[in-house]
Amino acid sequence: MTDGAHVVVGGGPAALAAADSLGRAGAAVRLHLPDRGIGAGFRPLTIEGRHLPLGFRVLELVVDQDHPRTPPPWSEYEPSVHGHRNWLGLLEDWFRELVGDELRELSRPEMVLDGRRGPDIYYCVDPVNAVAIATPADIGTIAREASKAADELGAAGPFDLPEAEHWNLDFDAVSRRTHGQRFHELFIEGPARKVTSDGIRDVSLALRRKPWMPLFWPSTLAEAFSGATPRWRPTHRRFHDCGRTNVVDELLSRLEASSDVTIVRSGPLLRVRRSGDHTSLRFADGTEVSATQPILAVSAEELFDAAGAEYRPERHRVVVAWVEADEADVVSTTDCLMPVDGDDPVFRISTGGRPAEGAVLFTVELSHVVDAGAAGSVALDGLERLGLIRPGTGRLLHAVAGPGPQRPTRTTHRQWRHAASRFRERELRAWVLGGAGTFGADSLNEQIAQGLWAAELSHQGAAPPANHEVAAI
């Protein structure tokens, strides 16, 4: 430690949650923040007083009845893509304590295909909803193909395999075999092509939720499209957001007000080395720190580079536009709407953020092929064409295009494993959180869980695990 303080490095939710938890427990904390990029994509843009969300950001605080509302001790937690699931009750209480009544349950997400609109299948993971927007011909084809898949693969299909095996399976190939070709073309491949030209080819099955493409039981799909009542379907999935407030800003405000937390704007981490029982850190502003078991919650690229293990993952291209319309000009609204048609340039539309008084703010995520200069007009056209606003009434506030999240492919994973292996050779005595510790563990839920976990065990004096990469991968 430095001056007896716990050292926390990073500006994402995991770092902020760890520093906040330690400070609230009465521990002295030195939080080293970057000079830009605080929030790691979970903090909205602020333009002319509006808060513009960087896409549809939701919290899964109730998934199904198998996850306890009374959590196990943090000593049983293991970081992974879904490691937070048994702590959902604790996370719900944590978010509610942070943002109060702003924590709200969202309406059911929706999807639309050829003008037919209904409840979605992507977030609720319920394929029964797809029947209502499919044509009679497609319903018959999907029923036959899914029935054949269920006969060949069993009722649960790949879900009967150990989850560890999912990491080495190609989602595209598994989806075609499990769902049948027609369902895959309509509901999986079409939307996925808007994220990347390769769709979900080479995407690891374990990371299928990264582009928000689910995998369904073949028996549930076959029964639903055959007109039967599925023997199993998910019914407990619900979603929340933090309303007009923001988790990152709320945490920063609480940290700035804490007498136990010292915030240092050090810029990026440039070097990390082991020095005896300590970890030596050097930052862009020249600050050097020698710390015992620091909490390092920076990106995999930054941390691996600082340790001399270069990592340059391929990233999605994202295109987002924000449109505001007066409430009187909004024809229809929804918390989330996904156009299924692969040729529709709109990937996803959501509402939220902080618009002007009496207005609704639409965040329109577009296909990766949309030109940056055309993003605004494509978003406005989409809102009108899909029947959300009256023609000519939308006001474009802002649009951006550029690199986004790393692609959740097996190729990227292999690159990560190579860099992570070199990083582990440094034998640092540190808590490593987020994507540098576990590939793909970057959801808001998982980041908060990791921050709370590291803070709790660090405060107890526990040593960080030597390697908390998911053992299966």
Side-chain angles (χ1 to χ4, degrees):
M1 301 179 190
T2 299
D3 301 329
H6 292 266
V7 173
V8 180
V9 181
L16 301 182
D20 176 71
S21 181
L22 284 165
R24 288 166 68 82
V29 181
R30 185 182 299 272
L31 172 62
H32 290 266
L33 289 178
D35 45 18
R36 57 182 297 180
I38 292 177
F42 293 98
R43 191 184 196 187
L45 298 177
T46 300
I47 294 180
E48 297 180 355
R50 279 84 158 174
H51 287 186
L52 312 182
L54 298 176
F56 185 45
R57 299 287 189 254
V58 295
L59 298 168
E60 287 185 282
L61 299 177
V62 179
V63 176
D64 58 44
Q65 292 177 324
D66 297 330
H67 298 105
R69 305 312 290 171
T70 300
W74 281 116
S75 57
E76 297 181 15
Y77 171 79
E78 294 184 4
S80 71
V81 176
H82 301 301
H84 62 271
R85 287 285 175 85
N86 287 335
W87 283 264
L88 288 174
L90 182 149
L91 288 173
E92 180 175 359
D93 292 342
W94 185 90
F95 281 107
R96 198 172 298 281
E97 190 274 336
L98 181 69
V99 303
D101 292 340
E102 288 290 335
L103 185 68
R104 62 180 187 124
E105 185 171 343
L106 300 177
S107 62
R108 194 181 184 95
E110 296 180 295
M111 61 182 180
V112 58
L113 175 62
D114 293 333
R116 300 180 296 274
R117 180 169 162 178
D120 100 306
I121 63 173
Y122 301 99
Y123 290 87
C124 299
V125 198
D126 186 356
V128 175
N129 299 334
V131 179
I133 67 170
T135 65
D138 285 332
I139 289 173
T141 300
I142 292 169
R144 290 191 299 273
E145 293 179 344
S147 295
K148 180 182 178 183
D151 290 341
E152 293 176 350
L153 303 175
F159 288 106
D160 279 338
L161 297 173
E163 190 169 345
E165 295 186 24
H166 290 189
W167 284 94
N168 296 317
L169 296 177
D170 180 81
F171 182 23
D172 184 81
V174 169
S175 173
R176 292 175 190 274
R177 188 178 179 199
T178 303
H179 300 141
Q181 186 66 22
R182 187 55 181 156
F183 184 90
H184 174 85
E185 291 172 348
L186 273 179
F187 294 101
I188 304 296
E189 184 177 27
R193 285 203 315 268
K194 303 179 193 183
V195 180
T196 171
S197 56
D198 292 332
I200 56 170
R201 285 192 293 276
D202 196 37
V203 169
S204 169
L205 180 61
L207 297 170
R208 58 192 178 273
R209 298 301 297 280
K210 292 302 175 182
W212 283 106
M213 297 295 117
L215 181 73
F216 303 104
W217 283 32
S219 60
T220 304
L221 202 62
E223 290 158 355
F225 278 80
S226 298
T229 301
R231 287 166 289 177
W232 183 86
R233 62 187 290 200
T235 57
H236 305 287
R237 198 174 292 271
R238 303 206 312 266
F239 301 94
H240 295 74
D241 74 3
C242 294
R244 293 170 61 88
T245 189
N246 175 261
V247 169
V248 173
D249 287 334
E250 292 299 314
L251 279 173
L252 282 172
S253 295
R254 204 153 76 176
L255 288 164
E256 290 167 351
S258 173
S259 59
D260 294 303
V261 178
T262 300
I263 297 176
V264 183
R265 300 275 182 163
S266 304
L269 180 64
L270 295 185
R271 189 189 68 196
V272 56
R273 299 285 188 273
R274 180 169 175 175
S275 178
D277 291 335
H278 288 65
T279 297
S280 174
L281 308 170
R282 181 163 64 85
F283 297 90
D285 69 346
T287 299
E288 296 196 8
V289 176
S290 180
T292 302
Q293 299 184 181
I295 296 175
L296 306 179
V298 300
S299 70
E301 295 99 309
E302 183 176 331
L303 186 57
F304 291 170
D305 280 2
E310 183 178 295
Y311 176 55
R312 294 291 182 272
E314 183 180 357
R315 293 189 172 277
H316 294 300
R317 179 177 185 266
V318 297
V319 186
V320 186
W322 293 270
V323 174
E324 194 174 68
D326 294 336
E327 292 175 351
D329 294 317
V330 175
V331 178
S332 175
T333 188
T334 177
D335 286 320
C336 177
L337 177 66
M338 288 188 64
V340 174
D341 187 347
D343 293 327
D344 191 319
V346 175
F347 173 65
R348 182 167 51 195
I349 298 173
S350 55
T351 54
R354 188 177 296 174
E357 190 70 28
V360 175
L361 175 64
F362 294 92
T363 299
V364 186
E365 298 168 74
L366 301 170
S367 168
H368 71 99
V369 301
V370 174
D371 183 80
S377 60
V378 173
L380 286 164
D381 174 74
L383 290 170
E384 294 177 5
R385 176 171 43 80
L386 294 168
L388 298 180
I389 64 174
R390 301 184 193 282
T393 61
R395 301 182 294 275
L396 177 66
L397 298 179
H398 192 54
V400 297
Q406 67 180 10
R407 295 187 61 196
T409 61
R410 292 181 298 168
T411 299
T412 306
H413 185 210
R414 285 192 294 270
Q415 295 170 344
W416 181 91
R417 290 184 67 178
H418 176 72
S421 177
R422 294 187 61 199
F423 174 76
R424 289 194 299 275
E425 291 172 357
R426 309 305 189 253
E427 297 183 335
L428 300 179
R429 296 188 176 182
W431 296 86
V432 179
L433 308 187
T438 307
F439 185 78
D442 54 4
S443 69
L444 181 56
N445 267 358
E446 186 62 23
Q447 287 216 26
I448 297 300
Q450 288 193 25
L452 298 179
W453 164 70
E456 174 73 15
L457 298 190
S458 180
H459 189 51
Q460 294 174 5
N467 170 24
H468 52 80
E469 175 192 355
V470 178
I473 61 175

